[in-house]
Amino acid sequence: MNAGGAVDGGGAVNAGEKLRQSASSAAYDAGSGSGDPSPHVGRFWSERRIPAGLVALALVAGAGLLLYDVAAVRAGRSAMRWRVWLAEQLSSRPLDDGWVVGGAALLVVLGIWMIVLALTPGLRGLLPMRAAGDVRAGIDQAAARLVLRDRAMEVPGVRSVRVDVGRRRVRARAQAHFRDLDAVRADLDAALDEGIRQLGLARPPALSVHVRRPSKR
């Protein structure tokens, strides 16, 4: 009896799990089937470990060296040569000196760069997809380009094609070695439009298709 009860309980758990998976899959398919953009899905933010680590390392090294030199001077030792040289340069050079202006411009550029990194999400190569519940997903531009290129090569008459995938536009440049160019362009446009729709992007990019004949050598 206990064994039978265990089997029945396991079957109920499996059935419930399958039901939840089916409901989740149906919800995702329903969301990915529409071509409307999802305004609530934003881009992924980069953690930017390398720039943050380099800035933190530079600040720690500079602050540590300065504190060590100040402590050494307080203890009766002479200041380091670099601090003596820097004090002499700052006291003797005018504000319109080339080195002073150049150093100030470099610091301004570095500051603007750090502000831009702090205010922009980064990860430009990762395209956000439509959200399914609490799950967020993205697809790399290279993977999306490969998928769309394979779809384009399935169109009759297409000899070669180059697909460039951006966040706002998909550009396809194809060469057709037979069939009418207008027919190839129409089929290619339909195939790529369907391919973009099936990618499930949160903001489907616009499509630009160009078809031409191969150049004669």
Side-chain angles (χ1 to χ4, degrees):
M1 295 299 290
N2 293 337
V7 172
D8 294 340
V13 172
N14 292 335
E17 183 67 22
K18 291 180 180 179
L19 182 60
R20 286 192 294 269
Q21 291 178 358
S22 299
S24 176
S25 177
Y28 179 80
D29 293 339
S32 62
S34 60
D36 299 332
S38 300
H40 301 293
V41 179
R43 290 172 56 188
F44 292 89
W45 280 77
S46 173
E47 296 181 357
R48 295 189 172 98
R49 293 189 179 93
I50 295 179
L54 292 178
V55 172
L57 184 62
L59 291 177
V60 169
L65 186 62
L66 181 61
L67 289 176
Y68 173 79
D69 191 48
V70 171
V73 172
R74 292 290 184 178
R77 301 176 61 181
S78 59
M80 292 184 178
R81 293 182 180 179
W82 66 269
R83 198 154 71 94
V84 175
W85 175 85
L86 182 61
E88 292 177 354
Q89 294 296 322
L90 292 177
S91 62
S92 60
R93 289 182 180 271
L95 294 179
D96 58 351
D97 185 79
W99 286 101
V100 175
V101 174
L106 179 61
L107 293 177
V108 169
V109 171
L110 290 176
I112 294 176
W113 178 63
M114 292 175 63
I115 293 175
V116 170
L117 289 180
L119 298 179
T120 54
L123 295 179
R124 298 180 61 87
L126 188 61
L127 304 176
M129 302 172 67
R130 281 189 291 269
D134 297 332
V135 179
R136 292 194 61 194
I139 183 172
D140 190 73
Q141 286 184 356
R145 181 168 60 247
L146 183 60
V147 171
L148 295 179
R149 181 184 178 277
D150 291 342
R151 272 193 166 271
M153 291 300 298
E154 295 176 357
V155 176
V158 174
R159 178 180 179 181
S160 62
V161 63
R162 176 180 177 180
V163 180
D164 297 323
V165 178
R167 292 188 295 115
R168 294 183 176 87
R169 183 173 296 275
V170 174
R171 293 180 175 86
R173 299 174 179 85
Q175 292 185 357
H177 58 294
F178 69 91
R179 294 183 67 199
D180 183 69
L181 291 182
D182 292 335
V184 175
R185 186 181 297 107
D187 292 346
L188 187 58
D189 187 85
L192 291 179
D193 186 72
E194 177 66 15
I196 294 174
R197 187 189 67 82
Q198 292 185 355
L199 287 177
L201 300 178
R203 294 177 176 83
L207 178 61
S208 175
V209 177
H210 299 279
V211 182
R212 62 184 179 87
R213 296 292 185 191
S215 58
K216 296 181 179 180
R217 297 181 179 178

